[in-house]
Amino acid sequence: MANFKELLVWQKSISFVTEIYQLTNVFPKDEMYGLTSQIRRASISIPSNIAEGNSRRSVADYLQFLKIARGSSAEIETQLIIAKNLKFLSEENYLKLNQDITEISIMLNGLINSLK
């Protein structure tokens, strides 16, 4: 198994977390412990679970952590829709983030399938 830092899905998810933090900085302050915190934690979960699973050096453990990361990506898709509906995200930002999380999900699925 490659070092997690070499995985494109990990690299892309790190960039995604950075984007999420930058864009949620403008969310209403009363959302700091609500949607802002939730979407940030879910985004951080993706590269963190990729790294932790990879470090376990067991394919079964790795698959479990990748599935958790995939679940976090679905969680983020839902949260992005909510943020867009509440007008916390512009349509343009929503579309960009949604495209990014969709690509990450596809990459996670590919990695999961390659390990099975």
Side-chain angles (χ1 to χ4, degrees):
M1 290 185 275
N3 181 292
F4 66 89
K5 292 177 192 172
E6 297 170 7
L7 296 170
L8 292 177
V9 66
W10 182 85
Q11 294 168 10
K12 186 162 184 64
S13 62
I14 288 291
S15 296
F16 183 78
V17 172
T18 304
E19 276 187 277
I20 287 291
Y21 265 78
Q22 290 168 343
L23 290 171
T24 56
N25 270 337
V26 299
F27 280 21
K29 293 302 171 205
D30 62 346
E31 282 298 323
M32 180 55 77
Y33 301 105
L35 188 58
T36 303
S37 174
Q38 191 70 20
I39 198 168
R40 286 177 173 184
R41 284 186 293 120
S43 69
I44 289 170
S45 174
I46 297 171
S48 298
N49 278 294
I50 294 168
E52 186 170 356
N54 180 271
S55 298
R56 295 289 177 111
R57 298 296 179 195
S58 151
V59 173
D61 285 347
Y62 196 10
L63 283 168
Q64 182 61 32
F65 280 93
L66 291 174
K67 289 175 183 177
I68 293 168
R70 185 175 59 188
S72 294
S73 70
E75 187 179 345
I76 291 168
E77 285 186 63
T78 301
Q79 294 161 352
L80 291 175
I81 292 167
I82 294 166
K84 179 188 66 124
N85 289 349
L86 292 171
K87 308 277 190 256
F88 298 166
L89 283 176
S90 68
E91 184 71 21
E92 179 182 341
N93 286 336
Y94 165 76
L95 291 173
K96 168 73 169 89
L97 290 172
N98 192 62
Q99 178 182 342
D100 290 344
I101 198 61
T102 299
E103 289 174 9
I104 289 168
S105 295
I106 290 168
M107 294 170 84
L108 284 168
N109 283 331
L111 184 53
I112 289 167
N113 289 336
S114 75
L115 292 170
K116 285 185 176 177

